[in-house]
Amino acid sequence: MQDASGPIPPLSSEKCDHHAQSHLRNRRGRLARRLSKWREEQLARKALALAGTPTLVLDLPCGGGRYWPLLAEHPGRVIIGADDSVAALDVARAAHPPSLTDRVRTLQTSALDICLPDRSVDCIFSMRVAHHAGDTAQRLAMLREFHRVARDTVILSLPVDGNYKAWKHRRLQRKRAQRGENTPLKCAALSTHVIEQEYRASGFQILGHFDFLPLYATGRVYVLRRGGA
């Protein structure tokens, strides 16, 4: 008797190709994320070394504590993990073992109004925050607050122009404007000339910078030294 369910239809080459392409995209995506994480951590280590291997570091905003293991690689370093979100701080504490979180003091505070005294930390470590300050006034307010709280250095990352990704972003923005879509794209690259002027106007000396992928990607990490009274 023939099976009532009928013969099993063969998987078409089109479906096989779709599954293979989907699997390849997922693998490439995972690899890209791993490589991105490795590169970001490499730049963070270089920046900390250029900053003189600070021992008291304010990680602001810390989010889910992504950089806490890296910051804790220095055995004598004390870490203040700060964020304006209580939920983010709870996630960060839960995501890491007590051997790490015992070395981290958490603090709910804003980058625009840091709940710490003047010159209270060696270094402010601020990854991916500067480009969320939407205009010059906000960035200057944040930089002035960093200058107040840091004794010595500030490390921060942001997307900058002068590379392929920034050019591609501007081209896409022009096309959107031509279609009447005037909502700005997120994480637009900032002018290096403008941002470096803002650093100096806020009382910082630029010790150096490290690019994620020179001339291609927008990511850049700056190391600033506090100057002035």
Side-chain angles (χ1 to χ4, degrees), residues 43 124 127 169 219:
L43 297 187
I124 296 177
M127 306 299 278
H169 183 280

Side-chain angles (χ1 to χ4, degrees), residues 113-174:
D113 185 17
I114 303 171
C115 299
L116 288 173
D118 296 358
R119 302 192 185 190
S120 55
V121 299
D122 296 329
C123 177
I124 296 177
F125 182 85
S126 185
M127 306 299 278
R128 297 182 176 181
V129 66
H131 57 292
H132 290 303
D135 55 32
T136 296
Q138 282 186 314
R139 288 194 301 272
L140 287 172
M142 182 191 71
L143 289 167
R144 285 193 294 266
E145 190 68 352
F146 284 4
H147 188 273
R148 180 186 70 80
V149 174
R151 269 194 296 268
D152 188 28
T153 54
V154 169
I155 296 169
L156 52 82
S157 71
L158 71 167
V160 298
D161 64 4
N163 50 71
Y164 169 75
K165 285 285 190 178
W167 170 82
K168 186 177 179 181
H169 183 280
R170 288 194 300 272
R171 186 179 67 170
L172 178 58
Q173 187 67 59
R174 285 196 297 269

Side-chain angles (χ1 to χ4, degrees), residues 18 20-31 33:
H18 172 75
Q21 290 183 21
S22 177
H23 178 64
L24 182 60
R25 283 194 299 270
N26 288 337
R27 286 187 61 187
R28 285 175 176 169
R30 289 193 296 270
L31 177 61
R33 286 191 294 272

Side-chain angles (χ1 to χ4, degrees), residues 73-84:
E73 289 174 355
H74 187 288
R77 179 171 290 142
V78 177
I79 305 158
I80 302 175
D83 202 283
D84 60 2

